[in-house]
Every structure is written in C-alpha cells, then in structure tokens.
C-alpha cells in the first residue's frame, strides 16, 4: 500500500500575497469608516484582528480550503450578509461523527483541533489534519506579515 | 466521550462541558469555535489555562451565539441512504478467512469483494494496490455488476466501480459494514469523482474488512501527522499521536494568540490606519517583484490597478460580501479612493523601507 505524498498539497502563497491582502483589507477598513474613528481601542483591535483573518483566508485561496471558506462565511455572517459558495457544503451528521470516532484517544484531541481550526467540524480526521497543516502555514505567514508591519510602523 | 456524537449536531454544549467544565446553555457548540471574532473580554491566557482545550470564552457576543456557522450544528441525517445498506450485510453471511476459503465460497465472496472495494475507497484519489495476493486473485475477475446494481442504490459507487473492471480488488471477509457504508455514503457525497484505493491485505495480517479500512485510515492519519510534525517546530522527537496532537493544538493556539497580540500592537501603533497603510502599500509596489503572481507591478498606480484586475476574481475589497464574480469597476473606484497618495510621500517613507524590504 503506497500513499504518494504529493497528493497533499499544502502550499501557501508567498508572503507578499498575504501582505497585500492584509493591507488592502486594512485600507478598506479605514475607508469604510472615514469619519468615525472608533474611540474604543477594543473595537479597533477587533476590527484589525478580523481583517487579519479575513485577509489571510483570502490570500490563502478563498474557496480552495475548507477552513478559509468557513472563516469567510463566518465573517460574512457577522456582517449579516449571506454568502453562498457555489460548492455544496457538507454538514457533519451524527453518523459521520460516529464513524469518525475510531480512536477515542486521538479523537478527543482531534475534537479540540476541530474547535480551533475554522470549519473543522465537518471534516474527517484525516482531512482535518490536512487543513490544519495548511492553516498553520497560513497563520505563520500572516504572523510574519503583521510582525513586519508593526516593526515598520512603530516609531523609531 | 459519550457526548461526542451529539455535541456538534444538536447544537448543545456537551462538548463545552466536557472539555472545559464551563456550561453555556443555549449556545451552539461552534460558538466557541470562534476565537477570531470573540468579544473583547476573551482572554486567550485564561482559556489556555483552562484545560488547554479549545477556546472557551466566558462571554461570547450574541452574534457569535446566533451565528451558527452552519457547519455542523444542524443534523443532516442520512438515514435514508444509510438504511439502504442494511440489507447488504444481512445478505452476506459471515465468512471465514479468505486465505482458507475454498472455491465454493467465491461466488458469495464476490459480493464482499466489490462492496469492500467500494468501502476502501478513500477521499484522496489514490490508487493503491499491493503486490501481495491473497491467493484468490483470479477470482477477483468475476464481475458482480448485476449484483452491485441490485444491492447498492448508490449510483456513484456503481459507476465508479464499473470504471475499473480490471483493477485488483481485495478479497475480504465481510462482517457488519454499516459504519463503513455510512462513511462511504457520506464520502461519496462530498467526493463524487474520487478514485478507489484498492488494497490488498498483506500477508499475515487480518483480512477483516473492518481492520483493513481501519488500517487505511490510520495510515492516512499518520501520514498527515508526519506532515504536521514537520510544520510544528520542535516536534521531531515526539512520537505518539496524542502528544503530537497536543503540540499541534498548542501551536495553533499560540499562533492565534500571536495574531491577536500583533493586531493589538497594530492598533496602538497606528491610530490612523488611513495614511500609513496607503503609504506602505504604495511603497510595496515600488519593490520589484520577479514572481509571476499578478499582484504587484513596478509601476505603482497604473500597474497596480492593472494587476488588480487580474486578481479581482479572487479578491474583493469589501470583505463582508464575497461574490464570485469580478467587480472590477468597484475595485478600481475603491483603489482610487484609497491609494491615490502623493508620490512625494513615498520617498519620505524610505527610512522605514529597510526593515520591511528584506522581510517582505
């Protein structure tokens, strides 16, 4: 039984793609509220955080990944806009959950992972781990971009 | 965990209770899946301290509660398709080991073969076949398509099965296969075009259909664990799925915390997002890109807008609505609003170019 490694594709785009998306989203954020700068810092923080995640999801390939789709849909829902992706979304049935429950030791940890990774609820465990790998890569890329941004913007 | 089967589906919070001991009544399970958009009083440190499990904020905004990401909160029972398979195992009696099976069992075991061959189909598009033959290889050639069509009411499985008449199938016993059938049914719904993995049992290993499917699944999972192991730093020496998974979870949590922390820093550093972002973006454009990603061009404004059209299919400036069609005119207007800045300011920003340039 031979599994080829190349079937798992966890490539993420280059860093500048992430940077571009993030900056776009941030600038969009600022143009959306041109006259009302949010007084509360927490609002701004939340917006920036949301912008970070959304831009990360977009940079990583909007619909190519389950987690990015789920993330974007969640973001869109919070703004009360219904987003429907053309691909059919799967819902985890309790049967699937039962069949997922093969190894109780690992499934407990897998459940926690499902809660962390967006869209993790409806994946099988193998798919979940694939998505996690891609998600980790994208997250680290996004962190790098944000770090550079903070370094660049902080007053010397 | 007993609560596992219904924790996501019923929208109850058993999972929350199990993991963190915090009972949140009335909120769907995946409200707590929402670390990104939680309320301001979500403290990642606290949530990590609590069991190290999934994020559990004590106050999720009501929006998140009502959110219902829709992924798994509503049960979608496939009892209709699942029940169709119930007659399958009933019709196949229990068989002994195939290795010892005589010729008289071939006809009956053919049904097992093809059903098992379907069952071993995995969602990865593999074609796998061992070289070790179980001794009944020649009997694999017997086709059971009429049997398949009569017994399987899943068209996709039948079609896929008929695609490969000459492939080598596993000759296995067929015990109760309800679980795997359900897995197959749900798998085929989401991956109608996937291929089979055709496996053969290795010598000396159990040829139980269950165990073989289990082995396939376990190998897939371990393969991906290896992949993840390379990603997570410092996990080379860890063996064991549980510890590895814990490490992965911690790493993901730490990355998310870093995002939050950096966004806080950005908020403080940059009270006015407007000007600086434009400057940085424009400054980015000046850096030469030799990659073929159609994102940035050398010519800042015209090139930028020109390349923007290329990726307008995947990007949308308004991230709260995500149509799949291109909105080029909207893009251009938005960029003209946001990105028309003085070229003279770009040169003034060059001292900050240093740290950014080599990084980006």
């Amino acid at each position: 039984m031979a599994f080829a490694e190349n079937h798992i594709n966890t490539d993420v785009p280059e860093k500048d793609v992430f940077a571009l998306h993030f900056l776009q989203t941030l600038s969009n954020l600022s143009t959306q509220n041109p006259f009302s700068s949010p007084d509360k810092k927490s609002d701004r923080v939340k917006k920036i955080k949301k912008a970070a995640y959304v831009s990360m999801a977009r940079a990583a390939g909007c619909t190519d990944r389950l987690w990015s789709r789920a993330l974007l849909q969640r973001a869109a829902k919070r703004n009360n806009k219904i987003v429907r992706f053309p691909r059919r979304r799967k819902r985890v049935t309790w049967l699937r959950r039962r069949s997922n429950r093969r190894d109780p030791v690992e499934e407990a940890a897998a459940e926690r992972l499902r809660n962390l990774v967006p869209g993790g609820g409806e994946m099988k465990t193998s798919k979940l781990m694939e998505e996690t790998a891609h998600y980790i890569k994208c997250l680290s890329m996004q962190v790098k971009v944000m770090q550079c941004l903070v370094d660049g913007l902080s007053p010397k | 965990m007993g609560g596992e089967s219904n924790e996501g589906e019923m929208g109850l919070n058993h999972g929350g209770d199990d993991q963190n001991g915090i009972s949140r009544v009335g909120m769907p399970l995946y409200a707590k899946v929402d670390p990104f958009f939680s309320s301001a009083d979500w403290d990642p440190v606290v949530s990590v301290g609590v069991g190290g499990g999934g994020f559990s904020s004590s106050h999720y905004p009501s929006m998140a509660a009502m959110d219902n990401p829709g992924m798994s909160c509503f049960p979608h029972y496939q009892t209709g398709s699942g029940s169709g398979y119930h007659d399958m195992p009933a019709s196949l009696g229990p068989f002994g080991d195939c290795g010892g099976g005589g010729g008289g069992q071939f006809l009956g075991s053919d049904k097992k073969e093809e059903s098992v061959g379907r069952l071993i189909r995995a969602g990865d598009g593999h074609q796998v076949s061992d070289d070790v033959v179980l001794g009944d290889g020649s009997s694999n050639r017997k086709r059971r398509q009429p049997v398949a069509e009569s017994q399987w009411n899943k068209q996709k499985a039948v079609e896929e099965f008929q695609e490969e008449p000459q492939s080598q199938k596993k000759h296995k016993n067929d015990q109760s296969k309800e679980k795997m059938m359900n897995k197959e049914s749900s798998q085929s719904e989401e991956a109608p075009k996937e291929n089979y993995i055709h496996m053969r049992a290795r010598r000396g290993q159990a040829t139980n259909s269950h165990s073989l499917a289990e082995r396939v699944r376990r190998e897939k999972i371990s393969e991906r664990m290896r992949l993840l192991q390379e990603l997570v730093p410092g996990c080379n020496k860890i063996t064991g799925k549980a510890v590895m998974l814990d490490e992965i979870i911690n790493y993901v949590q730490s990355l998310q915390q870093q995002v939050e922390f950096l966004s806080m820093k950005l908020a403080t550093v940059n009270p006015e997002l407007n000007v600086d972002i434009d400057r940085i973006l424009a400054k980015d454009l000046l850096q030469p890109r030799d990659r073929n990603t159609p994102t940035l061009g050398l010519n800042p404004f015209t090139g930028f807008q020109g390349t923007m059209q290329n990726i307008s299919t995947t990007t949308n400036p308004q991230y709260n609505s995500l149509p799949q069609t291109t909105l080029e005119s909207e893009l251009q207007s938005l960029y003209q609003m946001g990105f028309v800045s003085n070229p003279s300011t770009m040169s003034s920003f060059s001292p900050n170019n240093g740290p950014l340039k080599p990084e980006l």
Side-chain angles (χ1 to χ4, degrees):
Chain A
M1 200 162 27
F3 286 102
E5 183 71 21
N6 53 10
H7 72 281
I8 305 179
N9 180 25
T10 55
D11 296 336
V12 300
E14 299 278 337
K15 191 168 169 183
D16 53 344
V17 175
F18 282 88
L20 177 71
H21 277 80
F22 186 44
L23 291 172
Q24 279 176 17
T25 314
L26 280 183
S27 117
N28 178 36
L29 184 67
S30 59
T31 54
Q32 270 185 348
N33 305 330
F35 306 113
S36 66
S37 66
D39 299 325
K40 291 189 183 174
K41 190 177 155 193
S42 58
D43 282 348
R44 212 182 314 140
V45 171
K46 270 198 293 184
K47 283 194 170 150
I48 291 183
K49 188 166 72 156
K50 184 174 180 183
Y53 277 107
V54 168
S55 69
M56 174 174 75
R58 290 230 306 270
C62 275
T63 50
D64 295 341
R65 285 279 158 183
L66 280 170
W67 67 263
S68 59
R69 258 185 282 163
L71 209 162
L72 291 170
Q73 285 185 323
R74 207 184 289 165
K77 269 190 184 173
R78 284 177 72 93
N79 291 329
N80 296 325
K81 302 243 171 129
I82 306 297
V83 174
R84 288 285 170 254
F85 285 101
R87 258 191 268 176
R88 186 164 57 112
R89 286 182 324 157
K90 233 196 102 26
R91 299 204 168 136
V92 182
T93 68
W94 67 272
L95 292 172
R96 164 63 66 86
R97 286 282 182 138
R98 251 186 49 205
S99 70
N100 272 345
R101 231 199 322 171
R102 298 294 179 138
D103 182 356
V105 172
E106 90 176 22
E107 277 305 321
E111 194 66 27
R112 295 203 321 235
L113 196 56
R114 264 176 240 274
N115 292 338
L116 281 184
V117 176
E122 54 179 42
M123 306 178 208
K124 297 180 70 76
T125 306
S126 55
K127 184 82 174 146
L128 173 75
M129 305 182 75
E130 194 177 325
E131 295 282 319
T132 307
H134 193 260
Y135 185 59
I136 285 178
K137 278 192 187 173
C138 293
L139 265 181
S140 47
M141 198 66 81
Q142 182 72 25
V143 161
K144 276 189 224 164
V145 164
M146 290 175 77
Q147 185 70 51
C148 295
L149 208 57
V150 166
D151 290 341
L153 284 180
S154 61
K156 297 290 186 287
Chain B
M1 282 198 285
E4 189 174 322
S5 61
N6 55 3
E7 63 180 344
E9 310 325 308
M10 308 302 177
L12 300 177
N13 240 359
H14 296 155
D17 291 344
D18 285 343
Q19 292 182 4
N20 304 312
I22 296 178
S23 63
R24 281 165 283 145
V25 180
M27 287 172 55
L29 172 72
Y30 286 100
K32 76 173 182 175
V33 189
D34 210 355
F36 333 111
F37 307 118
S38 59
S39 62
D41 54 357
W42 168 58
D43 191 352
V45 178
V46 168
S47 62
V48 166
V50 176
F55 283 136
S56 63
S57 129
S58 48
H59 314 284
Y60 270 91
S62 56
M63 281 194 290
M66 305 309 165
D67 240 354
N68 185 10
M71 286 171 274
S72 62
C73 282
F74 294 129
H76 175 246
Y77 293 101
Q78 295 181 350
T79 49
S81 56
S83 60
Y85 302 132
H86 290 334
D87 50 357
M88 182 63 175
S91 60
L92 307 168
F95 288 92
D97 271 340
C98 275
Q105 291 192 5
F106 281 174
L107 208 50
S109 58
D110 285 346
K111 295 188 235 167
K112 295 176 305 177
E113 238 180 40
E114 48 105 7
S115 58
V116 159
R118 274 188 208 137
L119 296 175
I120 300 303
R121 169 183 49 166
D124 295 317
H126 282 309
Q127 282 284 329
V128 173
S129 60
D130 260 351
D131 290 328
V132 178
V133 175
L134 257 194
D136 291 330
S138 58
S139 71
N140 295 344
R141 298 290 172 248
K142 290 188 191 167
R143 289 302 111 193
R144 329 123 194 109
Q145 286 151 3
V147 175
E149 285 171 7
S150 65
Q151 293 196 352
W152 293 81
N153 49 6
K154 217 172 25 162
Q155 280 308 111
K156 278 178 188 141
V158 171
E159 287 163 7
E160 279 190 314
F161 181 79
Q162 290 171 354
E163 276 173 17
E164 300 158 292
Q166 302 306 323
S167 58
Q168 298 193 352
K169 296 283 197 89
K170 214 167 63 62
H171 195 77
K172 291 196 302 190
N173 297 330
D174 177 16
Q175 312 282 335
S176 77
K177 294 180 302 192
E178 289 188 8
K179 270 208 259 182
M180 277 192 279
M181 283 179 216
N182 292 334
K183 179 165 80 169
E184 276 311 304
S185 67
S186 42
Q187 262 185 350
S188 71
E189 280 182 35
E190 69 173 340
K193 303 255 184 335
E194 305 278 356
N195 294 327
Y196 286 106
I197 290 188
H198 299 285
M199 334 171 7
R200 289 180 169 274
R202 287 181 254 209
R203 278 180 83 91
Q205 294 199 341
T207 59
N208 193 7
S209 63
H210 257 311
S211 54
L212 264 154
E214 273 290 320
R215 196 142 41 85
V216 170
R217 183 178 173 274
R218 258 182 272 135
E219 294 209 10
K220 269 203 300 178
I221 289 184
S222 59
E223 180 192 0
R224 282 161 172 84
M225 288 280 283
R226 268 180 270 133
L227 192 70
L228 279 169
Q229 211 169 8
E230 297 159 21
L231 279 186
V232 179
C235 279
N236 297 327
K237 33 187 145 30
I238 295 183
T239 51
K241 280 198 291 190
V243 185
M244 189 60 219
L245 276 171
D246 286 344
E247 277 300 310
I248 292 169
I249 287 170
N250 288 339
Y251 189 57
V252 170
Q253 281 178 352
S254 77
L255 281 178
Q256 286 175 347
Q257 285 171 27
Q258 269 184 304
V259 169
E260 163 122 12
F261 174 68
L262 283 174
S263 63
M264 273 195 324
K265 265 185 106 173
L266 264 183
T268 53
V269 153
N270 195 9
E272 295 176 6
L273 304 169
N274 217 344
V275 177
D276 292 330
I277 300 300
D278 299 339
R279 280 184 190 173
I280 289 178
L281 195 51
K283 189 173 43 59
D284 268 356
L285 302 177
L286 292 183
Q287 299 168 17
R289 306 279 177 208
D290 49 345
R291 303 177 195 87
N292 56 356
T293 54
T295 55
L296 304 169
L298 284 179
N299 195 346
F301 298 109
T302 59
F304 185 67
Q305 287 177 356
T307 52
M308 273 302 112
Q309 294 169 12
N310 292 339
I311 63 173
S312 59
T313 51
T314 53
T315 64
N316 192 317
Q318 299 154 5
Y319 61 82
N320 48 6
S321 67
L322 296 163
Q324 295 295 307
T325 59
T326 67
L327 300 171
E328 292 188 1
S329 55
E330 285 194 25
L331 265 167
Q332 285 193 8
S333 62
L334 195 79
Y335 288 132
Q336 275 161 13
M337 274 179 2
F339 294 128
V340 175
S341 57
N342 278 333
S344 58
T345 60
M346 292 189 293
S347 57
S348 70
F349 221 67
S350 52
N352 282 337
N353 200 1
L356 275 180
K357 192 170 185 178
E359 299 294 308
L360 292 177

